[in-house]
């Protein structure tokens, strides 16, 4: 199963739709598709170590969505990939010093 659909009725969550054919009322219902495949993000980051040396790092993050409801609704409408990058930046800065 690579993607799920979240059925919204009048903008509120109603049910999770598995892959397949479903009947939706386009006036009152909409579907948000959540991809559950393993994804990769790659970006560059500038870090400063404990002894004030600046260095450049290339960061590769692999992530996968297990709970589609939390990924879609707990973030308050922000982009999920931006949240993953922020967590990775904080972890990298903590490790690098």
């Amino acid at each position: 199963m690579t993607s799920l659909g979240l059925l919204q009725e009048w903008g509120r969550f109603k049910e999770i739709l598995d892959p397949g054919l479903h009947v939706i009322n386009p006036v009152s219902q909409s579907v948000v598709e959540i991809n559950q495949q393993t994804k990769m993000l790659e970006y560059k980051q500038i870090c400063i170590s404990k002894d004030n040396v600046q260095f450049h790092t290339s960061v590769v993050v692999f992530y996968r969505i297990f709970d589609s409801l939390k990924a879609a609704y707990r973030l308050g409408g922000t982009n999920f990939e931006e949240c993953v990058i922020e967590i990775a930046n904080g972890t990298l800065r903590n490790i690098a010093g």
Side-chain angles (χ1 to χ4, degrees):
M1 192 164 39
T2 60
S3 64
L4 290 176
L6 301 177
L7 181 65
Q8 296 178 343
E9 190 169 48
W10 300 112
R12 292 184 179 221
F13 172 74
K14 184 174 180 186
E15 65 178 303
I16 295 177
L17 301 175
D18 292 327
L21 186 63
H22 299 279
V23 178
I24 335 174
N25 181 359
V27 175
S28 64
Q29 295 177 335
S30 63
V31 176
V32 177
E33 185 179 350
I34 303 293
N35 189 355
Q36 291 188 318
Q37 292 178 334
T38 302
K39 296 178 195 149
M40 181 188 79
L41 292 175
E42 185 176 358
Y43 62 96
K44 297 189 183 299
Q45 178 70 29
I46 299 173
C47 296
I48 300 175
S49 66
K50 291 179 183 177
D51 53 353
N52 290 331
V53 176
Q54 186 176 5
F55 60 95
H56 300 271
T57 60
S58 295
V59 181
V60 178
V61 179
F62 292 92
Y63 71 94
R64 184 175 176 192
I65 298 174
F66 288 104
D67 191 353
S68 56
L69 283 176
K70 288 182 183 177
Y73 295 113
R74 281 265 183 109
L75 299 176
T78 59
N79 189 3
F80 187 77
E81 289 184 357
E82 290 176 8
C83 293
V84 169
I85 289 174
E86 289 298 319
I87 291 172
N89 280 341
T91 305
L92 178 66
R93 288 183 187 138
N94 188 21
I95 292 171

